[in-house]
Amino acid sequence: MVLDLDACIESLFQRQLLAESVIKEICEKTKELLMSESNVVHIKAPVTVVGDIHGQFYDLLEIFKIGGYCPDTNYLFLGDYVDRGLYSVETISILTCLKLRYPDRVQLVRGNHESRAVTSTYGFYTECMKKYGTSDVWHYFTDLFDYLTLSVVIDNMIFCVHGGLSPSIHTIDQIKVIDRFKEIPHEGPMADLVWSDPDPGREEFAVSPRGAGYTFGSMVVEKFLHENRMDHILRAHQLCMEGFQVLFDDQLSTVWSAPNYCYRCGNLASILEIGVEGERHFNVFEAAPENERPTPAEAQRTLFSNGVPTGLFSNGGSNGAGVGGGGLNGSNGAMTFAGGASGSNGGIDPVQDTIHYFL
């Protein structure tokens, strides 16, 4: 039987799960496609860039309403498609189908949550078990994750990655020779690309509170851009209360695309539209309508059903980008926010519960 991708996409837009056998076939075909892609995929504008989604499927549908549907709009997704939200299966299913159906118009970058270690703890594994009764679908997708590219370059000028930079990587060519077809390591350049964060208070690299990757400052960004003859770094990975953040004299941007993260953070989200002349426009949006949201009880389970230790939010009222606690190696750093006023770490005023986030 021939795989009908258009029918699969239509079913997913109608909120219908695909059969396990269909997902297996889609993942196998997508792995064949991704195997031919470089660790650094070069594309041209115009393109719409999407940050973390984290299984918030109805908000992904809202993104398509705002930004346009494939193939009319070119999309670059920067990773973290699964975990935390209630609809990781639907989210990664539709993105995989769209990649397979429109391979030159949809780009999927690997995030730190596209790994077996993280998804086995933070929701995706449990969701697959609940919706299919076995772990097979989880295995199909986590095997697929090993094939996702690590970065994208737009018009030879904008470097796009999920997390950030690495002290082991000075040039784009060094990324091209990484063996990416494996589980994300605990350390090394591949781990750094998906785990690292910018820090406006620093100039060089420093140990990350996440327990994986590094924080990096203005001099690191400037040197990387100069060395590679580029003018901007675009990444995701950090919660931004205003939906985005721009740092280092417009040399680096963070785009965050999961509004009201975990259905209770109260944050805005954005997609970044890049035009043919290199112009950048953040299209900010709110969460999908309430009648398409989970109940409060479901949202509570999203946060606390996965054995995540609780911690405290700092409360400086900043709109900076959030750094998730709970690192890869088991560290329990509390969630902080870059750019807090008067040296504070910032925070989230609307959230009153004690929640420990792992972004």
Side-chain angles (χ1 to χ4, degrees):
M1 188 174 182
V2 178
L3 178 64
D4 188 341
L5 280 173
D6 289 330
C8 291
I9 292 168
E10 178 62 27
S11 294
L12 289 163
F13 271 115
Q14 297 301 319
R15 289 73 160 168
Q16 298 172 3
L17 290 172
L18 300 180
E20 181 180 321
S21 59
V22 174
I23 289 181
K24 181 179 181 181
E25 183 177 1
I26 288 170
C27 287
E28 289 301 318
K29 290 182 178 297
T30 306
K31 285 193 292 186
E32 294 176 10
L33 171 68
L34 294 174
M35 187 176 291
S36 65
E37 290 190 347
S38 169
N39 291 347
V40 184
V41 175
H42 288 262
I43 64 173
K44 293 184 178 297
V47 61
T48 296
V49 185
V50 182
D52 293 33
I53 302 170
H54 281 297
Q56 296 185 197
F57 181 68
Y58 291 112
D59 295 314
L60 175 60
L61 299 185
E62 195 77 2
I63 287 171
F64 289 130
K65 292 177 186 177
I66 295 168
Y69 292 90
C70 298
D72 297 326
T73 300
N74 299 321
Y75 277 101
L76 165 57
F77 295 89
L78 292 181
D80 278 14
Y81 313 113
V82 298
D83 287 338
R84 287 306 193 189
L86 296 170
Y87 306 102
S88 292
V89 171
E90 291 88 340
T91 298
I92 190 58
S93 293
I94 199 166
L95 291 178
T96 304
C97 286
L98 289 171
K99 174 61 180 178
L100 192 57
R101 179 66 176 85
Y102 307 108
D104 296 326
R105 293 190 174 273
V106 177
Q107 309 300 330
L108 301 178
V109 171
R110 191 173 191 176
N112 62 302
H113 276 258
E114 277 67 65
S115 85
R116 296 168 187 81
V118 177
T119 57
S120 64
T121 303
Y122 289 93
F124 185 44
Y125 177 86
T126 301
E127 183 183 330
C128 290
M129 289 295 294
K130 287 180 178 178
K131 291 180 177 178
Y132 287 94
T134 75
S135 62
D136 289 347
V137 168
W138 178 78
H139 283 290
Y140 300 150
F141 279 120
T142 52
D143 287 347
L144 171 65
F145 293 160
D146 290 345
Y147 290 76
L148 293 174
T149 189
L150 299 178
S151 63
V152 167
V153 173
I154 302 172
D155 291 333
N156 295 319
M157 296 304 293
I158 304 175
F159 176 67
C160 307
V161 68
H162 177 70
L165 302 179
S166 168
S168 302
I169 296 173
H170 307 291
T171 67
I172 295 296
D173 288 342
Q174 289 177 293
I175 300 175
K176 293 179 179 179
V177 298
I178 295 174
D179 174 17
R180 79 172 191 266
F181 301 102
K182 59 186 179 183
E183 174 74 345
I184 298 172
H186 291 287
E187 58 186 9
M190 182 174 170
D192 298 341
L193 290 172
V194 301
W195 280 98
S196 294
D197 301 291
D199 184 348
R202 293 186 179 275
E203 293 187 344
E204 298 289 350
F205 283 104
V207 175
S208 172
R210 292 182 185 267
Y214 293 84
T215 61
F216 57 94
S218 58
M219 289 185 63
V220 172
V221 170
E222 187 172 342
K223 184 177 180 180
F224 181 87
L225 291 175
H226 176 77
E227 188 78 20
N228 293 281
R229 299 181 181 179
M230 297 183 182
D231 61 20
H232 200 77
I233 295 172
L234 178 57
R235 41 90 67 182
H237 193 45
Q238 285 179 293
L239 171 63
C240 306
M241 290 304 292
E242 299 302 319
F244 69 95
Q245 187 181 48
V246 181
L247 295 174
F248 308 133
D249 295 324
D250 199 27
Q251 290 185 315
L252 181 145
S253 296
T254 298
V255 57
W256 179 266
S257 302
N260 193 28
Y261 180 49
C262 287
Y263 312 116
R264 66 191 302 150
C265 273
N267 61 284
L268 297 173
S270 74
I271 53 178
L272 177 58
E273 298 166 346
I274 301 177
V276 291
E277 300 297 327
E279 65 274 20
R280 303 190 303 273
H281 170 67
F282 287 98
N283 199 333
V284 178
F285 62 98
E286 296 180 345
E290 278 302 315
N291 60 2
E292 295 184 335
R293 314 304 299 158
T295 65
E298 289 174 325
Q300 188 80 358
R301 287 198 297 273
T302 305
L303 292 169
F304 295 109
S305 64
N306 297 313
V308 185
T310 58
L312 288 173
F313 277 109
S314 57
N315 196 26
S318 166
N319 288 327
V323 181
L328 182 63
N329 297 320
S331 66
N332 289 322
M335 187 176 190
T336 61
F337 285 76
S342 302
S344 72
N345 286 326
I348 301 179
D349 290 334
V351 181
Q352 297 176 354
D353 303 87
T354 56
I355 306 166
H356 204 97
Y357 279 90
F358 186 96
L359 297 178

